[in-house]
Amino acid sequence: MNGKMKAAVCTAYGPPEVLKIMELEKPVPKDNEVLIKVMSSSVNSGDARIRGLRAPFFLRLVMRILFGFKKPRRPILGMMFSGVVEQLGNEVSSFKIGDEVFGSSGSKMGAHAEYVAVKEKAVLAIKPKNASFIEAAAILFGGMTAVYFLEKAGIKSILEPKILIYGATGSVGTASIEIAKHYNAHVTSVCSEKGVELAKSLGSDEVVLYTQQDFRKLEEKFDIVFDAVGKTKKKDSYQILKPGGKYITVGGLDVAKELTSQVEFLKELFENGSLHANIDKTYPLEHIAEAHRYVDSERKKGNIVLKINE
Ligand SMILES: NC(=O)c1ccc[n+]([C@@H]2O[C@H](COP(=O)([O-])OP(=O)(O)OC[C@H]3O[C@@H](n4cnc5c(N)ncnc54)[C@H](OP(=O)(O)O)[C@@H]3O)[C@@H](O)[C@H]2O)c1
């Protein structure tokens, strides 16, 4: 026994109100795990999707098999965290007590709590030197997803790529703008009026308002069309792709892989000032249902973060 902790427990699949704050046993790290005192944890579209079991009908069964039939079998949601290493399993050698870290617990989740135990070899790294715990937790979800999809589209091998980012102002969209700029891309961001300032401030070269203009009919041609909110179809990109250009979307069956190398890359970008945390709102852990409600709205700009042990 390791004492008690506060955690947000998902008591059933359903609306944000299924999340209840409870007192549970603090995890005990296994030999290959570290116990982290969670300082901040982001609430993302992925967490809200699991809570609400939101997926096309045929995928809901897959989700029940993966996450639990009647309710999540791992009842504490939350994947992306920042915090302080508090206890080490017997075999852990790459971290020490007191290290300030950030990372993802992946499908094991458990980060919307005061403590989480994760494998030493999980997606875990020392947090950026210049980041607060809130910022470190914020950059992970959109950042890792953006790196995965943009690399898959071949961003690294195109000289000064022209990229259109559809849905540029969410967690994935905002990170995509800055990561694309890191690769010297010319970025056209598609967003609503509410996102123009943000999209420009992150380096977008052009902004197209989806409320006023049909991006499918733009005259410009792109090397990559990236749908960062999963609201378009491949055929929407046919007229605006260069020959050999790529369409990618977060809305398909491809699930972004999470790697420690991505976290190290995000750390480097944050430390050299090319990536920002883009925090829309923060909430205390007790207000987790409100945080989920805001994520459900699909209107957030960038990221939202729970302040847990801060
Ligand atoms: N496949 C994967 O591995 C993977 C990984 C991560 C995320 N995802 C999926 O990617 C999607 C986006 O995730 P996220 O966390 O970045 O979302 P998010 O932060 O919740 O996105 C919200 C943003 O999207 C904009 N938006 C909403 N509807 C739009 C539309 N019809 N056209 C253009 N922009 C729109 C909103 O701006 P306005 O209100 O101003 O329009 C808002 O700023 C989610 O569905 C998530 O499940 C998939």
Side-chain angles (χ1 to χ4, degrees), residues 5 18 21 26 41 83 87 105 119 167-168 171 191 200 209 213 233 245 255 261 265 270 281 283 287 300 310:
M5 67 168 185
V18 299
I21 301 297
K26 200 168 147 184
S41 180
Q87 215 179 323
S105 52
K119 285 202 175 108
S171 180
C191 62
K200 281 189 182 160
L209 295 173
Q213 205 179 347
K233 302 235 164 5
V255 176
S261 57
F265 177 53
F270 193 90
K281 291 187 188 190
Y283 297 86
H287 293 184
K300 74 180 166 70
E310 296 198 64

Side-chain angles (χ1 to χ4, degrees), residues 43-46 49 54 141-142 144-146 148-149 166-174 190-196 198 210-211 227-232 249-257 280 294-303:
V43 183
N44 298 300
S45 48
R49 191 178 282 283
R54 268 207 319 270
F141 178 80
M144 282 196 281
T145 308
Y148 173 79
F149 282 103
Y166 184 88
T169 53
S171 180
V172 181
T174 49
V190 183
C191 62
S192 79
E193 285 80 351
K194 291 188 211 107
V196 174
L198 176 62
Y210 70 77
T211 49
D227 179 354
V229 284
K231 301 281 185 195
T232 67
T249 177
V250 293
L253 292 177
D254 192 5
V255 176
K257 283 186 191 60
D280 183 340
Y294 189 40
V295 175
D296 280 358
S297 76
E298 296 188 5
R299 300 272 83 91
K300 74 180 166 70
K301 301 285 171 278
N303 301 295

